[in-house]
Amino acid sequence: MSLRSYSFLRGIYKLYGRKFSMAVNIKNEQENQISSFRTIENNPVNHNTDYIARLYTIPTDIQQQLFHYGGLPRTFMKQITTFQECSILIRQPAIEIMSYLNQADYTRPVNKYILYGIYGTGKSITLSHILHYAFMQNYVLIHVPWAPHWFKDMKEVATSILSPGCMDLPVDAGLWLKHFKIQNSKLFSQLDLKTSKDYTWNQREMTSQGIPILDLIDFGINRIKYACGVVDALIRELKLASIAGKCKTMVVIDGFNAFTSNHTRIYDDNKMMILPKQVSLARPFFDITEDDWCNGAVVLTVDERATKERRESYLPRYLLGKEGFEHLDPFIPILVDNYNVTEFDSIIEYYKDRKWIRNITPDGQRELELITNKNPAVLMDHCKFL
């Protein structure tokens, strides 16, 4: 090779080598920028303290399966539609509960965990993160997306046939059975769960012992009149199956203190207001939150908005009342607080990435931090105008 050819090739190598090096550096910078507020680890089973303050994305198929009938706040659902993805911030309370779940002895009575905090701190979003974790760990999910709906916005009220002295919410019970079926459909195709006894609904209709649990659920969906009775039977069967070691069960209820409230919008035939414990649909969820079973866990939230009464404290003892507190005791309380600085910055970077906020200056970001006090709900509300 001549000296001229060698010099020419060397020049090309330097030119393209420099361009390649620049491209690699740009890519690394982009990855570092993304990793500052995102993670590509979308399986919550693998989340630990190293992932705190980063956002992960729930795959669309899992999101639709878990939250088809609710479970995410309405404002957050609008954001999901706008952003075309369901991204959740990984926070300390969720990581803490998941670490407890990994270490628990499932041969002992179920542990109970209660998320609490002021309005808008993200208790429901944290609960959805834990729900996703339980789904990936093959728990049977007993999930109530927002308990107060049953006592304030019920679809229909009827005198109970199967539970004398109680009132039925047949349409709400049917919707919940659909919700349960969608969430657990894949798992139930693998589990061989069958009824442990006969259930008689009327003189002509009964559910025999030994039939698949899914058939019991389908009966409740198709015969709305008996949906509340089917919910009761289903939860009793799952409790027995968990004790027998046939499955692991996760109870997830948002706004549990609605079950212990002294006010509802439900009235009996004599126009007298009835309490939640007199609602047949609520009674099975009182039963499943007892600690007389094993091979499962109970994760609840208490919220100031879950009851009609004026609330002056967000602490579990105050919101649950004496009877509700004693019903759940012992439990592990876990505070969900406002964002810290790192979480706040991650959310702002995410909003910038989604073009939700644009051209915000450092001073503007600081002002946003001050006027929202880093409260997740207030921040979301303020950013929708930017």
Side-chain angles (χ1 to χ4, degrees):
M1 179 183 296
S2 66
L3 182 60
R4 181 178 296 177
S5 298
Y6 175 78
S7 300
F8 176 74
L9 291 174
R10 186 179 179 183
I12 291 177
Y13 174 78
K14 285 183 177 180
L15 175 63
Y16 283 95
R18 189 179 297 113
K19 287 184 177 181
F20 176 76
S21 178
M22 289 174 63
V24 170
N25 290 335
I26 291 172
K27 183 178 179 181
N28 288 337
E29 289 178 4
Q30 291 174 340
E31 288 180 349
N32 290 335
Q33 185 180 4
I34 291 174
S35 63
S36 67
F37 68 93
R38 275 189 189 273
T39 176
I40 59 173
E41 180 54 75
N42 293 331
N43 187 346
V45 176
N46 299 323
H47 291 166
N48 53 43
T49 53
D50 295 335
Y51 293 92
I52 288 177
R54 294 188 180 185
L55 289 107
Y56 86 100
T57 302
I58 300 179
T60 303
D61 58 333
I62 295 178
Q63 176 206 333
Q64 292 175 348
Q65 184 172 352
L66 289 179
F67 307 112
H68 183 79
Y69 281 98
L72 295 170
R74 190 172 301 174
T75 53
F76 189 74
M77 285 300 298
K78 291 180 180 178
Q79 182 175 287
I80 291 172
T81 303
T82 303
F83 293 169
Q84 294 296 297
E85 64 178 19
C86 180
S87 292
I88 291 177
L89 186 67
I90 301 170
R91 305 185 68 191
Q92 176 62 36
I95 297 299
E96 184 177 348
I97 289 180
M98 289 189 284
S99 70
Y100 293 153
L101 294 172
N102 287 331
Q103 300 172 54
D105 181 358
Y106 287 92
T107 63
R108 307 295 296 273
V110 292
N111 293 326
K112 304 174 192 177
Y113 310 93
I114 294 186
L115 296 166
Y116 71 99
I118 64 173
Y119 167 72
T121 52
K123 297 182 290 296
S124 297
I125 303 297
T126 300
L127 204 65
S128 67
H129 189 180
I130 297 165
L131 189 72
H132 186 195
Y133 165 87
F135 174 81
M136 299 302 294
Q137 290 285 64
N138 291 324
Y139 285 84
V140 174
L141 302 177
I142 297 178
H143 176 220
V144 180
W146 184 237
H149 278 321
W150 290 347
F151 310 111
K152 295 192 286 188
D153 305 310
M154 52 283 170
K155 307 291 184 184
E156 181 185 344
V157 179
T159 302
S160 179
I161 300 173
L162 302 173
S163 301
C166 292
M167 301 299 290
D168 279 350
L169 306 178
V171 176
D172 292 289
L175 290 173
W176 187 84
L177 287 171
K178 290 181 180 179
H179 177 62
F180 177 88
K181 183 178 179 181
I182 290 176
Q183 283 189 328
N184 297 283
S185 56
K186 293 182 180 178
L187 183 59
F188 266 60
S189 64
Q190 304 168 12
L191 298 173
D192 185 27
L193 298 181
K194 297 182 179 180
T195 54
S196 61
K197 65 175 187 178
D198 295 339
Y199 292 95
T200 302
W201 310 111
N202 55 45
Q203 292 181 347
R204 298 182 179 180
E205 295 176 296
M206 68 173 294
T207 299
S208 302
Q209 177 184 350
I211 71 162
I213 294 291
L214 279 177
D215 290 354
L216 174 67
I217 296 169
D218 288 336
F219 174 78
I221 294 172
N222 295 325
R223 297 285 281 128
I224 290 294
K225 183 178 181 179
Y226 302 105
C228 290
V230 170
V231 171
D232 183 55
L234 170 64
I235 290 182
R236 288 178 185 275
E237 291 292 343
L238 291 175
K239 198 172 184 178
L240 292 173
S242 295
I243 294 172
K246 296 178 181 179
C247 63
K248 288 193 304 181
T249 302
M250 176 74 77
V251 180
V252 180
I253 302 176
D254 199 359
F256 181 82
N257 53 307
F259 287 114
T260 63
S261 171
N262 292 322
H263 293 275
T264 68
R265 292 180 181 173
I266 303 174
Y267 296 87
D268 61 16
D269 296 336
N270 297 320
K271 307 299 180 183
M272 298 291 292
M273 185 191 72
I274 64 171
L275 298 177
K277 60 185 178 182
Q278 296 171 283
V279 178
S280 58
L281 180 57
R283 296 177 73 174
F285 298 95
F286 277 109
D287 182 56
I288 199 65
T289 49
E290 294 277 5
D291 53 9
D292 57 351
W293 59 290
C294 63
N295 210 22
V298 177
V299 185
L300 315 171
T301 73
V302 291
D303 194 284
E304 298 166 86
R305 301 170 305 144
T307 60
K308 184 179 180 181
E309 303 99 317
R310 181 180 178 184
R311 291 305 186 182
E312 299 173 352
S313 173
Y314 60 86
L315 298 176
R317 173 63 180 84
Y318 183 85
L319 292 175
L320 289 167
K322 182 177 184 296
E323 184 179 355
F325 186 88
E326 291 176 351
H327 171 76
L328 294 177
D329 189 49
F331 60 84
I332 301 173
I334 297 172
L335 175 65
V336 182
D337 211 344
N338 288 333
Y339 290 144
N340 58 35
V341 174
T342 306
E343 292 171 335
F344 178 84
D345 290 342
S346 293
I347 289 295
I348 291 297
E349 291 302 317
Y350 177 63
Y351 286 166
K352 290 178 182 177
D353 178 72
R354 296 286 93 188
K355 303 296 187 291
W356 192 237
I357 57 178
R358 303 187 185 190
N359 304 322
I360 187 170
T361 63
D363 288 341
Q365 186 166 323
R366 173 62 177 162
E367 182 179 351
L368 197 59
E369 180 180 341
L370 291 174
I371 63 176
T372 63
N373 195 29
K374 299 190 290 291
N375 180 278
V378 178
L379 176 64
M380 187 188 301
D381 184 63
H382 276 70
C383 287
K384 68 184 181 182
F385 300 107
L386 300 178

